[in-house]
Amino acid sequence: MPPIDAGTAVEQAPAATTAPDAVRLPDPPAPTVTDTGGGGGPDTEDTLDLHLPDDFVARFADGGDPPPDDLLDGAGDWGTVSTRAGAFQLAPVRLERDLPVVARWMNDPAVAEFWQLAGEQRLTEVHLRGQLHGDGRSLPCLGLLDGTPMSYWEIYRADLDPLARHYPARPHDTGVHLLIGSGADRRRGLGSALLRAVADLILDRRPACARVVAEPDLRNAPSVTAFLAAGFRYAAELDLPGKRAALMIRDRSLRHLM
């Protein structure tokens, strides 16, 4: 399945109303959920926060349209980083330029099994357009290695995504989806090096983010292995729509230890 997904609207329960003469009982305490990940300080304490962050709510206060990547601290301008494979950069997708190459990658059987966007180019276009013209929670990017497009990425606010209904999300959790475009590049073992570089980019450029998260399909053993090699810890198994996933977390407090 495509990731849970960048095009789905955030749902918020309507506010309850109380009759003027009714007696209002105290609200029950908010639930606390603990995951199965290891310890390591406050960044690894997983608690469930059911309130939308103030910066998200403020976007709609005056009816204006803020910049599309405002919720991700300018992810489209994070620049180039050095990796063992070469100079790497995230470049926001431009449909007129990038749709054919992303659609071609989606039709690779090894990719299609997990993304489920194989078929007409229109399927990929709808998937990309939903993010590019959405509320800024998700940014689709090409990964450029030494200037050459070779991977597709989605950087998204996991705490504002439907994924947050399935794990103990914390404010500013930032999620990552990734595919390596060619079989040759996949066989080079680039995934772990690029995942580590992107996770470090997120933690460097988003000071409020304490965790980078991902939810690869448990059947995709090479993907889970790449996340582990990139310094993510296995935190839990999740039953998501259409797949059983591994919740992978890279903690700011552990980034120099893993």
Side-chain angles (χ1 to χ4, degrees):
M1 62 172 286
I4 291 186
D5 185 56
T8 308
V10 171
E11 298 178 0
Q12 185 175 11
T17 56
T18 305
D21 297 329
V23 176
R24 182 178 175 86
L25 295 175
D27 292 332
T32 298
V33 182
T34 302
D35 76 355
T36 60
D43 290 348
T44 59
E45 294 175 2
D46 299 317
T47 56
L48 181 64
D49 188 338
L50 300 180
H51 300 285
L52 290 176
D54 292 341
D55 63 335
F56 182 77
V57 176
R59 289 165 59 86
F60 304 99
D62 59 4
D65 295 321
D69 61 355
D70 182 63
L71 287 173
L72 290 165
D73 298 314
D77 299 314
W78 285 351
T80 302
V81 294
S82 295
T83 74
R84 63 174 173 80
F88 182 78
Q89 179 181 3
L90 292 173
V93 163
R94 288 167 45 190
L95 275 178
E96 68 280 5
R97 177 193 66 191
D98 303 325
L99 177 58
V101 68
V102 178
R104 185 175 76 249
W105 291 340
M106 292 297 181
N107 278 277
D108 181 326
V111 173
E113 179 180 3
F114 300 106
W115 285 75
Q116 298 184 7
L117 288 173
E120 297 182 0
Q121 184 171 282
R122 175 66 177 165
L123 293 174
T124 300
E125 179 181 357
V126 170
H127 181 76
L128 295 174
R129 198 177 290 278
Q131 297 172 79
L132 292 170
H133 300 290
D135 57 18
R137 286 182 292 126
S138 181
L139 183 68
C141 297
L142 288 187
L144 309 182
L145 190 60
D146 292 329
T148 300
M150 50 73 64
S151 54
Y152 171 72
W153 299 74
E154 291 171 355
I155 311 300
Y156 68 100
R157 282 287 294 271
D159 60 327
L160 305 179
D161 188 84
L163 175 64
R165 296 196 293 264
H166 300 272
Y167 85 105
R170 296 179 60 190
H172 293 281
D173 277 357
T174 303
V176 173
H177 298 137
L178 159 69
L179 71 84
I180 304 293
S182 76
D185 281 336
R186 289 193 289 272
R187 288 189 292 274
R188 291 171 60 193
L190 295 178
S192 60
L194 299 184
L195 280 168
R196 184 178 291 273
V198 169
D200 284 344
L201 258 180
I202 291 169
L203 295 173
D204 287 341
R205 304 296 197 271
R206 301 206 66 237
C209 171
R211 307 188 305 179
V212 182
V213 305
E215 21 77 27
D217 194 307
L218 273 173
R219 297 173 300 152
N220 193 347
S223 179
V224 175
T225 299
F227 278 102
L228 290 171
F232 285 73
R233 60 182 172 91
Y234 172 84
E237 290 186 12
L238 304 178
D239 282 314
L240 304 180
K243 71 177 181 181
R244 181 78 171 162
L247 176 64
M248 310 299 296
I249 298 178
R250 182 158 168 76
D251 304 282
R252 178 182 295 279
S253 62
L254 301 177
R255 64 184 295 198
H256 299 301
L257 302 177
M258 300 177 65

